[in-house]
Amino acid sequence: MMTIPTNTPDPQTAGVPAAPTPLAATPPALPSVHVRAVITWIAIFPLVAAGMMITGPVTLDWHPVLRALVLTVVVVPLAVYLVVPRLMGLYVRMRARRAR
């Protein structure tokens, strides 16, 4: 059985110093889980309320589980891909403005 040595340096990178990481490349700190929960609620509540009002007349006779399924199929992608990222960006900008 042949063993492969693990302490042998890579010949392509031997003697090449590591590039310094610029400070601007460090990602900003994420908001706390509580802030993210509030931002998510701020996104979800109006979408659910509007969705219920819009689909109410059409889905009145449907089973409540089917109504919830249809509503969440629309609301969740809207919130995840559109509304929450915009609210999160707004929060980050407001936080940066306060820090100055």
Side-chain angles (χ1 to χ4, degrees):
M1 185 164 145
M2 184 170 28
T3 60
I4 300 172
T6 57
N7 59 356
T8 306
D10 184 9
Q12 292 179 348
T13 59
V16 178
T21 305
L23 294 177
T26 57
L30 288 175
S32 73
V33 68
H34 306 296
V35 170
R36 289 180 295 181
V38 169
I39 289 172
T40 303
W41 183 84
I42 289 171
I44 294 287
F45 179 75
L47 291 173
V48 169
M52 288 174 64
M53 290 187 330
I54 292 168
T55 63
V58 176
T59 62
L60 190 59
D61 297 331
W62 294 10
H63 191 277
V65 174
L66 182 59
R67 279 189 289 191
L69 174 70
V70 169
L71 186 61
T72 57
V73 162
V74 174
V75 167
V76 170
L78 273 174
V80 169
Y81 295 114
L82 187 69
V83 180
V84 170
R86 290 184 183 196
L87 288 175
M88 201 65 75
L90 178 66
Y91 172 77
V92 168
R93 285 192 303 275
M94 285 175 37
R95 200 167 127 195
R97 191 176 303 154
R98 282 187 184 173
R100 283 191 251 157

